Amino acid sequence: MRQRYEWLETEWSKMREQSLCREWQTVESLAEHGGTWIVVGGKKLLNMSSNNYLGLAHDPQIMAAGEKAARQWGAGGTASRLVLGNYPLYDELEQRLARWKQREEALVFANGYQANTGVLAALAGRGDVVFSDRLNHASIVDGIVLSRAEHVRYRHNDWEHLAFLMEKHQGTKRKWIVTDSVFSMDGDKAPLLELIKLRERYGAFLMVDEAHAGGVRGERGQGLCHELGIASQVDVLMGTFSKAFGVYGAYVCADQVVIRHLRSKARSLIYSTALPPGVVGSTIAALTQIEADEWRRQALQHNAQLFRRLLAEKGFAVTSDDTQIVPITLGENERALQFSQKLWERGVAAVAIRPPTVPDGTARIRFTVMATHQPEELVWAVEQLTAVRDECAGGM
């Protein structure tokens, strides 16, 4: 049997040589502060790799809302929404999302990957061209591939390069621009104001993935597009419930004609079982919290600024961005793994990110700050980082 899979053994050996093998750690318990501290392998660790940006995943009201919905409607969705898997909870959530995002309608998906692949494959097709930032999330890339549209990638955040490429495709039937608003591995923001101008100049459509900005940017957490005042000019606004919401799932908001089309054409929606009622109930409660709790966004912003400043004071190269995602680029895969392991030994859980998630030669530690981190915890984390850097002389 082993000989039958010899090709997989060979591939695994190559991956191991390149420090590209993946293993996961099991979180055994949440030690303190609702996930800010965790226990892995019997060791207590400060969690610096969570997308639970606002600390809502362990909010008692959100958990209680999920339990109530599950008791009323059951543990599972039981069918796709088009086959008697649609309950009043889903309609309530979508109506709330549409009002929150100030769009005509919203549509909930099982997760962000399914939202991006389903939307792009349904709205773009042969004869169209999709212009995509080189550092867009993998789900966007896969959605473009599934659409069978021409895939044109522009240099990261280089709107002038995008303009050059769009000029070359003037005669294309339909043109789509797709971008993350906050990039998940670099923590920088897309040049959305310039993309809106290109949308108008070339008669293109624009889709923005707000996964890492939803809940944390804008006056009521609607995202970076709302913060910049351009949301009404974006054709499709996408976001997730698995980051700032602390739950699970995803959504798109758009004009009614777009959502109507997606209900009948988005294969990832049509052929998937509906989200469990408990998840939807928790999400509705999380949306209520996000709209009301400005203090969480303020705390997150303060912590992100503090962490960046502390790193800069210690001589680390950090970008001037103000997001909660703070990468320290190390370059080689093995170096990033060793750095992460040494942090682990010192009590900081910060995971090494390697290709293909990031480009070759840019392996890094991706730190994420939470609203529930205490300032003294961030000061301590930077002290551990500095000590590890000094241990790994020449490793930065």
Side-chain angles (χ1 to χ4, degrees), residues 48 53 182-189 212 217 300-328 364-369 375 378-379 381-382 385-386:
M48 297 292 294
Y53 300 135
V182 171
F183 289 87
S184 60
M185 293 298 126
D186 291 79
D188 54 348
K189 302 188 291 290
H212 295 274
R217 309 293 303 209
L300 181 64
Q301 187 77 6
H302 175 269
N303 283 346
Q305 291 172 349
L306 173 63
F307 189 61
R308 288 175 181 276
R309 177 172 60 79
L310 291 170
L311 287 172
E313 288 174 355
K314 294 294 186 179
F316 287 92
V318 293
T319 66
S320 58
D321 289 284
D322 61 352
T323 71
Q324 69 278 6
I325 300 168
V326 187
I328 299 295
R364 67 198 64 184
I365 308 295
R366 174 188 180 265
F367 295 94
T368 51
V369 179
L378 298 177
V379 171
V382 172
L385 270 162
T386 305

XYZ file of all heavy atoms in Angstrom, residues 48 53 182-189 212 217 300-328 364-369 375 378-379 381-382 385-386:
437
model
N -1.502 35.532 20.363
C -1.223 36.626 19.431
C -1.463 36.204 17.984
O -0.920 36.792 17.059
C 0.228 37.099 19.595
C 0.569 37.685 20.953
S -0.253 39.259 21.280
C 0.492 40.336 20.067
N -10.860 39.569 16.879
C -10.323 40.909 17.095
C -11.008 41.677 18.224
O -10.361 42.400 18.964
C -10.412 41.730 15.809
C -9.658 41.147 14.648
C -10.225 41.080 13.372
C -8.366 40.650 14.808
C -9.537 40.546 12.300
C -7.667 40.105 13.736
C -8.257 40.065 12.480
O -7.577 39.520 11.422
N -8.567 45.215 3.864
C -7.390 45.070 4.715
C -6.801 43.701 4.401
O -7.492 42.685 4.473
C -7.742 45.176 6.212
C -6.546 44.806 7.075
C -8.228 46.576 6.550
N -5.536 43.671 4.038
C -4.915 42.422 3.595
C -4.487 41.577 4.801
O -3.836 42.065 5.726
C -3.736 42.714 2.664
C -4.175 43.221 1.330
C -4.394 44.574 1.133
C -4.426 42.349 0.287
C -4.837 45.055 -0.089
C -4.871 42.815 -0.940
C -5.086 44.175 -1.128
N -4.873 40.315 4.749
C -4.823 39.465 5.932
C -3.419 39.127 6.395
O -3.216 38.848 7.580
C -5.586 38.164 5.659
O -5.005 37.456 4.571
N -2.442 39.124 5.510
C -1.093 38.735 5.898
C -0.143 39.915 6.054
O 0.927 39.788 6.643
C -0.510 37.744 4.876
C -1.212 36.404 4.861
S -1.071 35.559 6.466
C -2.794 35.241 6.822
N -0.501 41.067 5.505
C 0.359 42.249 5.585
C -0.221 43.339 6.473
O 0.507 44.214 6.934
C 0.616 42.813 4.184
C 1.490 41.892 3.353
O 0.990 40.887 2.826
O 2.689 42.172 3.245
N -1.539 43.306 6.675
C -2.163 44.298 7.531
C -2.233 45.679 6.925
O -2.520 46.655 7.634
N -1.991 45.807 5.622
C -2.109 47.114 4.975
C -3.460 47.239 4.296
O -4.202 46.264 4.149
C -0.966 47.349 3.984
C -0.845 46.232 2.952
O -1.482 45.171 3.121
O -0.099 46.409 1.975
N -3.798 48.458 3.889
C -5.122 48.744 3.342
C -5.040 49.001 1.841
O -4.062 49.563 1.334
C -5.725 49.975 4.049
C -5.848 49.801 5.555
C -6.625 50.936 6.193
C -5.890 52.264 6.168
N -4.718 52.277 7.072
N -11.368 41.452 7.115
C -10.532 41.895 8.230
C -10.767 43.357 8.599
O -10.042 43.900 9.441
C -9.063 41.652 7.898
C -8.734 40.197 7.775
N -8.396 39.408 8.851
C -8.732 39.372 6.687
C -8.183 38.165 8.447
N -8.380 38.117 7.137
N -13.714 48.679 11.556
C -13.519 49.980 10.914
C -14.881 50.627 10.705
O -15.899 49.956 10.567
C -12.816 49.845 9.554
C -11.555 49.032 9.538
C -10.403 49.635 10.292
N -10.018 50.950 9.871
C -8.775 51.445 9.974
N -7.799 50.664 10.466
N -8.497 52.674 9.625
N -9.292 48.219 20.434
C -8.495 47.530 19.422
C -7.533 48.499 18.743
O -6.347 48.188 18.546
C -9.409 46.878 18.384
C -8.705 46.100 17.281
C -7.955 44.905 17.854
C -9.690 45.643 16.212
N -8.037 49.675 18.384
C -7.190 50.679 17.733
C -6.044 51.095 18.651
O -4.889 51.208 18.222
C -8.044 51.900 17.357
C -7.323 52.948 16.513
C -7.195 52.531 15.067
O -7.730 51.505 14.647
N -6.489 53.317 14.293
N -6.358 51.312 19.921
C -5.327 51.702 20.881
C -4.271 50.614 21.017
O -3.059 50.885 21.021
C -5.966 51.992 22.246
C -4.970 52.291 23.322
N -4.441 51.301 24.134
C -4.382 53.454 23.708
C -3.582 51.840 24.979
N -3.527 53.142 24.750
N -4.718 49.370 21.128
C -3.773 48.262 21.286
C -2.899 48.078 20.051
O -1.698 47.777 20.171
C -4.526 46.974 21.601
C -4.995 46.911 23.040
O -4.563 47.691 23.881
N -5.906 45.990 23.332
N -3.498 48.223 18.863
C -2.723 48.086 17.622
C -1.651 49.169 17.542
O -0.494 48.894 17.177
C -3.654 48.156 16.414
N -2.023 50.409 17.867
C -1.052 51.498 17.838
C 0.049 51.279 18.869
O 1.237 51.517 18.593
C -1.765 52.826 18.089
C -2.685 53.243 16.952
C -3.524 54.462 17.289
O -3.590 54.899 18.441
N -4.180 55.028 16.278
N -0.329 50.817 20.068
C 0.654 50.560 21.117
C 1.626 49.479 20.700
O 2.856 49.629 20.855
C -0.069 50.157 22.406
C 0.830 49.697 23.566
C 1.736 50.825 24.024
C -0.020 49.160 24.724
N 1.112 48.380 20.173
C 1.967 47.262 19.778
C 2.947 47.676 18.685
O 4.151 47.356 18.751
C 1.093 46.093 19.317
C 1.843 44.815 19.090
C 2.526 44.193 20.125
C 1.849 44.216 17.840
C 3.215 43.001 19.918
C 2.531 43.026 17.627
C 3.213 42.420 18.664
N 2.466 48.400 17.689
C 3.341 48.872 16.617
C 4.419 49.816 17.163
O 5.590 49.735 16.772
C 2.520 49.563 15.537
C 1.682 48.622 14.681
C 0.797 49.391 13.711
N -0.021 48.498 12.902
C 0.372 47.897 11.784
N 1.598 48.141 11.332
N -0.434 47.105 11.120
N 4.017 50.719 18.055
C 4.980 51.676 18.603
C 6.046 50.967 19.422
O 7.242 51.267 19.312
C 4.257 52.715 19.454
C 5.188 53.721 20.127
C 4.433 54.833 20.805
N 3.536 54.361 21.847
C 3.926 54.014 23.071
N 5.223 54.071 23.410
N 3.038 53.627 23.978
N 5.631 50.008 20.251
C 6.587 49.269 21.062
C 7.576 48.497 20.194
O 8.784 48.455 20.492
C 5.844 48.308 21.990
C 5.016 48.938 23.111
C 4.143 47.878 23.781
C 5.918 49.621 24.144
N 7.086 47.886 19.124
C 7.970 47.161 18.212
C 8.971 48.109 17.551
O 10.169 47.799 17.452
C 7.148 46.438 17.148
C 6.376 45.195 17.589
C 5.462 44.717 16.474
C 7.328 44.080 18.000
N 8.484 49.255 17.091
C 9.361 50.228 16.432
C 10.445 50.719 17.396
O 11.612 50.882 17.007
C 8.544 51.393 15.897
N 10.071 50.944 18.638
C 11.038 51.419 19.634
C 12.137 50.385 19.880
O 13.256 50.752 20.256
C 10.318 51.735 20.941
C 9.460 52.992 20.877
C 8.633 53.212 22.133
O 8.659 52.325 23.028
O 7.961 54.257 22.237
N 11.822 49.113 19.667
C 12.808 48.054 19.844
C 13.581 47.758 18.554
O 14.384 46.823 18.502
C 12.134 46.777 20.337
C 11.536 46.886 21.739
C 12.613 47.081 22.790
C 12.017 47.048 24.194
N 13.068 47.223 25.236
N 13.316 48.539 17.510
C 14.059 48.385 16.268
C 13.476 47.427 15.262
O 14.104 47.121 14.250
N 12.271 46.932 15.495
C 11.619 46.064 14.522
C 11.075 46.900 13.362
O 10.611 48.030 13.565
C 10.462 45.285 15.160
C 10.902 44.191 16.084
C 11.057 44.439 17.449
C 11.174 42.922 15.607
C 11.463 43.434 18.309
C 11.583 41.908 16.458
C 11.734 42.164 17.820
N 11.128 46.341 12.173
C 10.585 47.015 10.989
C 9.090 46.765 10.924
O 8.654 45.641 10.664
C 11.266 46.507 9.724
N 8.293 47.792 11.189
C 6.842 47.683 11.099
C 6.333 48.756 10.147
O 6.930 49.820 10.003
C 6.158 47.842 12.479
C 6.498 46.671 13.378
C 6.570 49.147 13.150
N 5.224 48.455 9.491
C 4.647 49.404 8.553
C 3.953 50.533 9.310
O 3.720 50.453 10.515
C 3.634 48.718 7.635
O 2.516 48.273 8.424
C 4.260 47.523 6.928
N 3.614 51.566 8.587
C 2.952 52.729 9.189
C 1.436 52.561 9.257
O 0.724 53.489 9.634
C 3.285 53.989 8.388
O 2.874 53.843 7.033
N 0.935 51.385 8.874
C -0.510 51.169 8.895
C -1.038 51.151 10.329
O -0.272 51.039 11.292
C -0.862 49.867 8.184
C -0.656 49.968 6.686
O -1.492 50.583 6.020
O 0.357 49.441 6.201
N -2.353 51.229 10.454
C -2.968 51.303 11.779
C -3.898 50.133 12.060
O -4.775 50.212 12.902
C -3.744 52.614 11.931
C -4.873 52.749 10.913
O -4.968 51.907 10.002
O -5.667 53.699 11.032
N -3.700 49.020 11.355
C -4.599 47.883 11.530
C -4.106 46.967 12.640
O -2.989 47.103 13.155
C -4.729 47.072 10.230
O -3.500 46.366 9.991
C -5.039 47.976 9.044
N -4.954 45.993 12.986
C -4.659 45.061 14.071
C -3.771 43.905 13.627
O -3.414 43.057 14.454
C -5.967 44.516 14.643
C -6.745 43.577 13.719
C -7.590 44.308 12.683
O -7.534 45.524 12.568
N -8.381 43.559 11.935
N -3.397 43.845 12.361
C -2.544 42.789 11.821
C -1.131 43.351 11.660
O -0.920 44.314 10.923
C -3.075 42.284 10.472
C -4.491 41.726 10.638
C -2.142 41.230 9.885
C -5.202 41.469 9.330
N -0.160 42.748 12.371
C 1.203 43.290 12.403
C 2.190 42.163 12.073
O 2.512 41.341 12.938
C 1.538 43.897 13.778
C 2.893 44.595 13.736
C 0.445 44.870 14.225
N 2.681 42.095 10.838
C 3.630 41.039 10.488
C 5.080 41.450 10.754
O 5.441 42.623 10.617
C 3.387 40.864 8.983
C 2.990 42.238 8.515
C 2.252 42.888 9.668
N 5.889 40.477 11.143
C 7.340 40.647 11.208
C 7.921 39.675 10.187
O 7.891 38.459 10.381
C 7.894 40.337 12.613
C 7.292 41.279 13.659
C 9.411 40.433 12.611
C 7.669 42.736 13.492
N 6.968 34.783 7.644
C 6.833 35.793 8.689
C 6.120 35.247 9.918
O 5.513 34.179 9.878
C 6.024 36.974 8.154
C 4.566 36.606 7.856
C 3.897 37.596 6.947
N 4.521 37.628 5.631
C 4.173 38.459 4.660
N 3.211 39.327 4.872
N 4.773 38.434 3.492
N 6.177 36.041 10.980
C 5.296 35.842 12.118
C 4.193 36.883 11.970
O 4.463 38.078 11.869
C 6.020 36.037 13.468
C 7.281 35.180 13.534
C 5.075 35.696 14.609
C 7.046 33.699 13.521
N 2.954 36.409 11.939
C 1.809 37.320 11.784
C 1.162 37.499 13.154
O 0.521 36.601 13.673
C 0.809 36.745 10.786
C -0.495 37.527 10.659
C -1.465 36.737 9.791
N -2.746 37.399 9.600
C -3.827 37.164 10.344
N -3.769 36.312 11.350
N -4.960 37.783 10.088
N 1.377 38.673 13.727
C 0.776 38.979 15.017
C -0.585 39.639 14.801
O -0.739 40.483 13.905
C 1.670 39.941 15.814
C 3.000 39.359 16.188
C 4.110 39.562 15.377
C 3.136 38.593 17.327
C 5.341 39.012 15.709
C 4.361 38.030 17.672
C 5.465 38.248 16.853
N -1.541 39.250 15.615
C -2.837 39.916 15.584
C -3.182 40.382 16.997
O -3.064 39.623 17.956
C -3.947 38.987 15.051
O -3.920 37.749 15.774
C -3.758 38.715 13.576
N -3.587 41.631 17.077
C -3.924 42.251 18.345
C -5.427 42.142 18.567
O -6.215 42.187 17.613
C -3.473 43.724 18.352
C -3.842 44.412 19.656
C -1.969 43.810 18.106
N -2.715 46.328 27.988
C -1.466 46.982 27.576
C -0.218 46.314 28.136
O 0.786 46.145 27.423
C -1.633 48.413 28.108
C -3.106 48.631 28.123
C -3.702 47.306 28.496
N 0.840 43.338 26.108
C 1.519 43.681 24.861
C 2.948 44.120 25.126
O 3.861 43.799 24.351
C 0.735 44.771 24.128
C -0.686 44.382 23.708
C -1.399 45.553 23.055
C -0.675 43.188 22.754
N 3.163 44.861 26.208
C 4.525 45.250 26.593
C 5.359 43.995 26.849
O 6.502 43.867 26.369
C 4.502 46.143 27.850
C 5.926 46.354 28.374
C 3.851 47.488 27.539
N 4.807 40.967 25.679
C 4.992 40.231 24.427
C 6.156 40.811 23.628
O 6.973 40.062 23.065
C 3.710 40.268 23.602
N 6.266 42.125 23.567
C 7.359 42.754 22.821
C 8.699 42.468 23.500
O 9.722 42.285 22.824
C 7.109 44.267 22.679
C 8.337 44.965 22.081
C 5.885 44.517 21.801
N 9.625 39.095 22.293
C 10.044 39.199 20.900
C 11.478 39.697 20.795
O 12.287 39.172 20.020
C 9.125 40.174 20.159
C 7.875 39.612 19.504
C 6.888 40.734 19.223
C 8.277 38.963 18.194
N 11.778 40.726 21.567
C 13.107 41.312 21.539
C 14.150 40.316 22.016
O 15.237 40.182 21.433
C 13.148 42.582 22.412
O 12.126 43.482 21.983
C 14.492 43.263 22.312
